[in-house]
Amino acid sequence: MSDLTPTPDRPGLHVSKPSPSTPATASAVCHCGASATAKGDAQVKALVDGYTAHHGPAHGRK
């Protein structure tokens, strides 16, 4: 499997939770240059909510 971690050249959102007993992790990179990482289910949910509302598909490319 290829590396799914977002980069400035391949922006996006990646979430991982290998098992129910491990904390989720996430990383996000937007084409506008914003980036973030999170660890823990609550923090990952906040990152996904914020990315979805303010980055990625939420704003157009300039």
Side-chain angles (χ1 to χ4, degrees), residues 2 6 10-11 16 32 39-40 43 49 54 57 59 61:
S2 65
R10 290 185 347 239
S16 177
C32 73
K39 183 173 182 180
Q43 291 82 8
D49 291 346
H54 304 291
H59 65 85
R61 293 175 192 255

Side-chain angles (χ1 to χ4, degrees), residues 7-37:
T7 66
D9 294 332
R10 290 185 347 239
L13 176 65
H14 181 255
V15 176
S16 177
K17 184 163 174 85
S19 76
S21 62
T22 60
T25 59
S27 58
V29 176
C30 184
H31 59 82
C32 73
S35 64
T37 60

Side-chain angles (χ1 to χ4, degrees), residues 33-62:
S35 64
T37 60
K39 183 173 182 180
D41 296 355
Q43 291 82 8
V44 168
K45 182 182 181 324
L47 185 149
V48 171
D49 291 346
Y51 182 84
T52 304
H54 304 291
H55 295 285
H59 65 85
R61 293 175 192 255
K62 295 185 189 224

